[in-house]
């Protein structure tokens, strides 16, 4: 029989309740992720949230890009500059990355107050970087059109997904695992 050494806990170790199960987390995450994506398909959600949010992202990104000298103009979800026209589609608004992150935050064993803080962190972090992403893609389309697909499909999609995972890790390490959150969660 091999004995494992009794190592002291790390300062950054998570204080998970005894009843916590990784299988339960994965199951809840899958449920929240699927439910979130199904909710995004509902016509009222598309009409009253996704479409206006995509338009807002388009306008914010065009305005921010315009501050750096190029004349970008947004009309609904279209961006115009010179002879170039770009369309910001619903999948380009950061909502799917947010659903990815929120599924993990909601499935994690933490207090609802901690989860609410995680939702805020994820919302501002992901949507903020998504605006930067759109501005970058506008400039790439304008100056390096042959590189647009590379940046749009491969580089930025990966970065946004990694950011969603990073926000979850930061939240889980520094917010959800605080002693106060653990005591409240454990009923202490």
């Amino acid at each position: 029989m091999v004995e494992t050494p009794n190592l002291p806990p790390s300062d950054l170790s998570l204080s998970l309740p005894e009843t916590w199960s990784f299988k339960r987390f994965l199951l809840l995450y899958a449920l929240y992720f699927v439910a979130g994506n199904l909710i995004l398909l509902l016509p009222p959600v598309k009409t009253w949230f996704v479409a206006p949010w995509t338009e807002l992202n388009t306008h914010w990104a065009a305005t921010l890009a315009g501050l750096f000298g190029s004349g970008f103009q947004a009309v609904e979800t279209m961006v115009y500059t010179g002879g170039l026209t770009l369309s910001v589609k619903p999948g380009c608004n950061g909502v799917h990355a947010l659903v990815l992150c929120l599924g993990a935050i909601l499935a994690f064993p933490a207090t609802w107050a901690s989860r609410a803080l995680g939702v805020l962190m994820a919302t501002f972090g992901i949507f903020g970087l998504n605006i930067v992403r759109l501005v970058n893609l506008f400039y790439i389309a304008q100056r390096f059109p042959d590189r647009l697909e590379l940046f749009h499909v491969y580089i930025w999609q990966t970065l946004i997904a990694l950011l969603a995972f990073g926000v979850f890790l930061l939240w889980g390490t520094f917010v959800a695992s605080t002693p106060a959150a653990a005591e409240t969660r454990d009923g202490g």
Side-chain angles (χ1 to χ4, degrees), residues 22-32 107:
F22 188 67
K23 288 179 187 176
R24 181 176 188 269
F25 168 78
L26 287 179
L27 178 63
L28 285 174
Y29 172 74
L31 289 173
Y32 286 129

Side-chain angles (χ1 to χ4, degrees), residues 29-50:
Y29 172 74
L31 289 173
Y32 286 129
F33 181 72
V34 169
N37 279 292
L38 288 175
I39 289 169
L40 291 176
L41 296 175
L42 296 173
V45 174
K46 282 182 173 182
T47 302
W48 299 103
F49 173 68
V50 176

Side-chain angles (χ1 to χ4, degrees), residues 12-176:
L12 293 179
S13 65
L14 294 175
S15 55
L16 296 171
E18 293 293 322
T19 58
W20 189 80
S21 158
F22 188 67
K23 288 179 187 176
R24 181 176 188 269
F25 168 78
L26 287 179
L27 178 63
L28 285 174
Y29 172 74
L31 289 173
Y32 286 129
F33 181 72
V34 169
N37 279 292
L38 288 175
I39 289 169
L40 291 176
L41 296 175
L42 296 173
V45 174
K46 282 182 173 182
T47 302
W48 299 103
F49 173 68
V50 176
W53 183 254
T54 306
E55 242 181 83
L56 195 60
N57 273 247
T58 305
H59 285 271
W60 285 349
T63 300
L64 186 60
L67 295 177
F68 298 106
S70 291
F72 290 96
Q73 290 204 305
V75 177
E76 295 177 357
T77 60
M78 304 297 286
V79 177
Y80 302 95
T81 180
L84 183 66
T85 301
L86 297 167
S87 175
V88 179
K89 302 289 184 188
C92 298
N93 59 15
V95 173
H96 292 287
L98 183 63
V99 169
L100 180 75
C101 188
L102 294 186
I105 289 170
L106 295 174
F108 196 78
T111 64
W112 284 105
S114 292
R115 289 175 183 161
L117 183 57
V119 167
L120 286 174
M121 287 173 58
T123 302
F124 285 103
I126 291 169
F127 287 146
L129 184 65
N130 194 62
I131 298 298
V132 171
R133 169 186 172 262
L134 290 173
V135 169
N136 178 260
L137 290 174
F138 294 167
Y139 276 104
I140 288 171
Q142 186 181 48
R143 293 186 172 85
F144 309 103
D146 56 321
R147 303 274 189 219
L148 182 61
E149 182 178 1
L150 169 71
F151 277 85
H152 179 251
V153 175
Y154 300 103
I155 294 173
W156 274 112
Q157 293 286 18
T158 303
L159 288 175
I160 291 288
L162 287 173
L163 174 73
F165 183 64
V167 167
F168 170 68
L169 288 179
L170 284 172
W171 169 80
T173 301
F174 296 107
V175 177

